[in-house]
Amino acid sequence: MRNGSVILTSGDLQRPIRTGDIVLVAPLASTGCIPEGVAEVTTLLIDTDYLTEHLFWHHLDLLPDRDAARDLAAKLHPDPIQIISIGEREIDDMGPTLDELVARTKTRQDAAGYFHAHALLFTVLEAVTARPRHAPVEGPSRGSRERAARMVPPRWRVFRPARHEATQAVALMRGNMAKRWRVEDLAAHACLSVSQFQRVFRATFGVSPMTYLSILRVLEMARLIRETNESIAIISEHVGWAPQDGQASRSFRRYMGTSPSNYRRHGPPTASADGPGIAVAQAARNFEESVGRGIAT
């Protein structure tokens, strides 16, 4: 709230919002406003997946994947609406940043201004994110088996040089994904014993060679399901799985959280039928229409 005041309504709740207050509204939350004269508001529409991504990277040492970050966010912030006050002076100081951010995001972003817009947004988030109330929760605790089951594309947890033998094995698997690879074959290409090759590979990528291959196949299946009209059976064979043994469906469900057929119909389990951010945008439009003139978005 940059200037003026409104009465925020949500169900039976009615709260006054004055200059210096910030209202945090979750997607799908039902809100309305009763204006008290002319009010000036800056509204930031931020996709929740975008915020979840930053939560994941902020707690990289604790969270095994983005699903865990999404679960943690839901537990930390169960309230659909929060009102925090940072004061008129801080809002005034933030004014030029908000105005420039509004100006840069009114129209299509060009590549040159992409990171500058992020810098402006982070300046705002820095002033906001430390203040909301959050519920006390324990950090996620997952065993190695559950962590592997919820894993997304393999990546390094520790930034260190990758062993040539491991990266060469990955190149071989990527180059001929449909081949019936065995650990013995990959170890022979790397000129290592099977046990030594497995240690080297796991130290580099954090998973076994066969788990890595399964993830590569699932990701390729997901791409082909999105981009082609081939049947699931043909796609399964293309990536190296025989459709009749059910391995493709089991692995796809394990790593993607849904069956291949459901993925084709609806997309990932977290996808919205309306598209990302629609609920947030609609809530903001309702907010603007309720307040009336004097709104800066």
Side-chain angles (χ1 to χ4, degrees):
M1 181 65 67
R2 304 281 295 275
N3 192 25
S5 62
V6 300
I7 302 297
L8 176 72
T9 61
S10 177
D12 296 331
L13 172 70
Q14 288 195 352
R15 288 283 301 276
I17 309 298
R18 301 184 177 88
T19 304
D21 289 345
I22 296 176
V23 183
L24 307 179
V25 183
L28 305 179
S30 175
T31 60
C33 290
I34 303 172
E36 297 182 321
V38 176
E40 182 184 359
V41 175
T42 297
T43 305
L44 302 181
L45 311 179
I46 308 177
D47 193 289
T48 50
D49 284 343
Y50 176 85
L51 296 177
T52 299
E53 186 75 14
H54 285 290
L55 180 66
F56 170 63
W57 283 101
H58 185 65
H59 297 289
L60 191 61
D61 55 333
L62 297 176
L63 299 172
D65 52 41
R66 288 159 180 81
D67 286 340
R70 190 174 292 106
D71 294 344
L72 178 61
K75 294 175 182 177
L76 283 172
H77 305 290
D79 298 330
I81 299 172
Q82 275 202 46
I83 302 169
I84 60 176
S85 179
I86 66 174
E88 295 186 28
R89 180 175 178 179
E90 191 160 352
I91 285 289
D92 286 340
D93 292 342
M94 201 186 298
T97 300
L98 291 171
D99 292 339
E100 186 177 0
L101 184 59
V102 168
R104 284 183 170 270
T105 54
K106 273 185 176 178
T107 57
R108 183 178 179 86
Q109 277 287 294
D110 61 348
Y114 177 79
F115 288 108
H116 187 70
H118 274 254
L120 295 170
L121 177 59
F122 289 158
T123 300
V124 176
L125 292 179
E126 183 182 15
V128 174
T129 53
R131 302 173 187 264
R133 301 180 304 277
H134 60 82
V137 297
E138 296 182 0
S141 176
R142 300 183 187 279
S144 59
R145 178 171 298 181
E146 186 178 359
R147 185 178 295 113
R150 299 193 64 172
M151 192 170 179
V152 289
R155 62 185 182 83
W156 294 275
R157 285 286 184 179
V158 179
F159 293 95
R160 58 189 174 200
R163 287 283 296 266
H164 171 70
E165 298 91 338
T167 57
Q168 183 185 47
V170 168
L172 288 169
M173 290 188 284
R174 286 185 183 275
N176 191 359
M177 206 175 297
K179 181 175 177 177
R180 305 295 184 183
W181 288 105
R182 301 180 307 160
V183 178
E184 291 81 1
D185 301 329
L186 296 170
H189 278 285
C191 299
L192 297 173
S193 68
V194 171
S195 59
Q196 187 178 8
F197 170 73
Q198 289 180 315
R199 284 196 300 272
V200 167
F201 196 96
R202 186 177 288 276
T204 301
F205 292 108
V207 294
S208 70
M210 292 299 100
T211 297
Y212 195 106
L213 177 60
S214 293
I215 294 171
L216 287 180
R217 287 173 170 171
V218 166
L219 293 176
E220 180 65 7
M221 275 190 71
R223 185 189 70 81
L224 292 172
I225 289 172
R226 292 193 307 269
E227 299 178 5
T228 74
N229 293 320
E230 296 286 355
S231 68
I232 302 297
I234 292 176
I235 292 175
S236 300
E237 289 182 320
H238 178 79
V239 302
W241 278 317
Q244 61 271 16
D245 64 9
Q247 181 62 38
S249 181
R250 288 193 299 272
S251 296
F252 197 94
R253 185 183 291 276
R254 182 184 186 197
Y255 294 112
M256 301 300 291
T258 188
S259 67
S261 56
N262 282 339
Y263 186 87
R264 168 159 279 171
R265 286 194 295 268
H266 307 297
T270 57
S272 165
D274 296 322
I278 293 297
V280 180
Q282 184 58 51
R285 283 194 292 271
N286 294 341
F287 187 92
E288 295 165 20
E289 293 169 359
S290 299
V291 177
R293 301 181 61 184
I295 296 295
T297 304

